[in-house]
Amino acid sequence: MKLLPTTKQGAIVGGQTSCKAPEIAAFEKHLPSDVEIVSCHSLHGPNVDPRGQPLVVIRHRASQQSQDLVERILSCFGSKHVHLTAEQHDSITADTQAVTHAAFLSMGTAWEANNQFPWEINRYVGGIENVKINVTLRIYSNKWHVYAGLAILNPSAKKQIRQYAQSVTELFKLMLGGHREELSNRIKTAGAAVFKAERQHEDLLLRDEVLDRFSLGKVPSQKTPNNHLSLLAMVDCWWQLGIVPYDHMICSTPTGWMFNKVPESRHLRVLCQLFRLMLGVTEYLFRKPSLLEEVITTAIEDDTFRSDDLEFTFAARVSTYPFQQFEHSSAIVSTCWFSDAALLHTLPPFASPAVHTPRYDEKY
């Protein structure tokens, strides 16, 4: 920041951060008024081929000529340019990532609290469970500050994570109380709002043959019914906030290693982005009436997952605590948002990218 005031007159400055609010605020505060600002953000990880991937270009304070120059320079990536404002960028990335990341981070925290490796337990193997485990491991394999920064520095993300925690808590209370009719009405109302009637004739983003292809354990002959509290709460949260996830496909992140050993097909190309995978799992659940009824029945009558759901609810609620503490204590962020890296210790070789375990004295 100390160097920004000395920026050359007439220069064009930009950043590649995933959260634009603090970046733009810093530029406006420290850059001379004669310096132009054209920011960008590649919506994929460092190990993903940028060709064809979305790259957001943000002309915050610049002429069209300067934006054209920046885009010519960025054209070497071969990415698809998407033009947004900084506010739109943060809103869309929050809509597509905040709730879904909170859900899967909370799953990992709950499994760690229960001393479980889910792929070793029959009730967590097969179907939707495969995707939940793989996405959770994919998220935990990345650096902790990526998700902490998104959740805490993005002003649009805070209300979504708080709402997700509230949705988890309220749905869990309905399950504990045995309020079947109220639970069913709430879930189906949320599903109807997010997965509108006109989509019922479209193909599902996920199919059974794709779901079972990513099992990390031996698929049991008979699957244990699950109430899928994490997914129900995700859709309930979208409904409560008026978010239509299909509108934000462009600002989502590629799945990377999860599909690198699978033959290409139309359905896998549809699932080439992490957010689409997350959306696909919830869509698969809500657009199959028999499966949704099974989930509701399990939630009320079956207590097999009760202890797991309790830890998950704790984890979801704890994830809202660090918002006011991020600048003062990285220890709070790392302990509240990310459970011990022990969850990753028995990853199969194809699914174990380098794991970064944060030190308590580390700063973002």
Side-chain angles (χ1 to χ4, degrees):
M1 295 301 175
K2 293 180 180 179
L3 297 177
L4 287 180
T6 65
T7 303
K8 179 181 177 181
Q9 182 179 4
I12 305 172
V13 174
Q16 255 274 27
T17 63
S18 58
C19 183
K20 293 303 176 185
E23 175 192 307
I24 296 298
F27 285 162
E28 289 181 338
K29 179 178 180 180
H30 298 287
L31 283 175
S33 59
D34 56 14
V35 172
E36 297 184 286
I37 302 172
V38 180
S39 194
C40 62
H41 181 206
S42 296
L43 299 176
H44 57 81
N47 298 321
V48 176
D49 187 341
R51 289 175 293 184
Q53 299 294 344
L55 190 160
V56 174
V57 178
I58 299 170
R59 188 178 75 175
H60 181 71
R61 191 177 74 195
S63 64
Q64 183 63 50
Q65 182 180 4
S66 295
Q67 178 181 330
D68 293 341
L69 173 60
V70 171
E71 293 203 55
R72 285 198 299 272
I73 295 171
L74 295 175
S75 65
C76 63
F77 292 127
S79 299
K80 178 183 177 181
H81 293 183
V82 181
H83 300 98
L84 299 173
T85 66
E87 293 77 13
Q88 288 172 332
H89 169 275
D90 283 356
S91 177
I92 292 174
T93 53
D95 287 354
T96 58
Q97 297 178 32
V99 170
T100 48
H101 288 168
F104 290 101
L105 287 166
S106 297
M107 285 183 212
T109 301
W111 287 327
E112 192 271 339
N114 282 332
N115 295 313
Q116 296 173 335
F117 294 108
W119 52 88
E120 296 178 349
I121 304 173
N122 281 347
R123 68 173 184 261
Y124 281 120
V125 177
I128 291 177
E129 307 295 351
N130 290 339
V131 178
K132 289 162 65 175
I133 292 172
N134 273 290
V135 172
T136 300
L137 294 178
R138 194 266 190 185
I139 288 176
Y140 270 85
S141 70
N142 287 325
K143 294 185 177 181
W144 70 277
H145 63 73
V146 173
Y147 302 102
L150 168 71
I152 299 170
L153 295 179
N154 188 334
S156 299
K158 297 179 183 180
K159 65 178 181 180
Q160 297 183 20
I161 295 173
R162 288 193 176 101
Q163 177 59 54
Y164 182 73
Q166 184 175 341
S167 293
V168 170
T169 303
E170 292 175 357
L171 291 177
F172 186 51
K173 287 180 178 179
L174 291 176
M175 294 177 185
L176 286 177
H179 304 297
R180 182 188 180 99
E181 184 176 355
E182 188 176 350
L183 177 66
S184 179
N185 289 340
R186 179 163 176 167
I187 289 172
K188 291 179 180 179
T189 300
V194 174
F195 308 105
K196 300 184 184 298
E198 57 266 25
R199 294 191 179 276
Q200 298 304 313
H201 302 292
E202 299 177 4
D203 289 341
L204 292 172
L205 292 175
L206 278 173
R207 290 190 175 183
D208 292 316
E209 58 269 24
V210 175
L211 287 172
D212 288 333
R213 195 173 292 179
F214 300 104
S215 176
L216 298 183
K218 185 177 180 181
V219 179
S221 57
Q222 186 172 359
K223 296 178 182 178
T224 304
N226 190 343
N227 60 50
H228 294 298
L229 173 60
S230 58
L231 303 183
L232 297 179
M234 196 180 298
V235 175
D236 185 83
C237 178
W238 284 334
W239 167 55
Q240 297 284 352
L241 296 176
I243 295 173
V244 180
Y246 292 98
D247 293 345
H248 301 320
M249 290 291 198
I250 193 63
C251 280
S252 45
T253 309
T255 53
W257 58 267
M258 288 185 62
F259 295 104
N260 62 1
K261 296 203 173 190
V262 182
E264 186 179 16
S265 70
R266 184 176 71 85
H267 291 286
L268 290 182
R269 288 197 298 273
V270 169
L271 290 172
C272 68
Q273 295 176 336
L274 181 57
F275 174 66
R276 294 189 182 194
L277 182 59
M278 297 172 177
L279 176 58
V281 176
T282 57
E283 180 193 67
Y284 182 90
L285 172 60
F286 275 80
R287 285 184 55 192
K288 291 201 166 192
S290 60
L291 178 58
L292 190 59
E293 284 298 330
E294 177 187 285
V295 164
I296 295 171
T297 299
T298 302
I300 299 299
E301 301 177 3
D302 191 339
D303 61 1
T304 303
F305 287 87
R306 218 47 112 215
S307 62
D308 298 51
D309 291 338
L310 179 63
E311 290 291 354
F312 177 77
T313 303
F314 286 158
R317 291 172 67 90
V318 166
S319 69
T320 66
Y321 294 166
F323 293 146
Q324 305 304 320
Q325 304 294 332
F326 184 64
E327 294 180 355
H328 306 293
S329 174
S330 61
I332 292 178
V333 177
S334 58
T335 55
C336 287
W337 264 85
F338 307 93
S339 67
D340 189 48
L343 180 66
L344 294 166
H345 286 176
T346 60
L347 276 174
F350 82 91
S352 59
V355 177
H356 172 79
T357 304
R359 303 188 310 273
Y360 286 169
D361 62 341
E362 229 170 15
K363 297 291 184 181
Y364 173 63

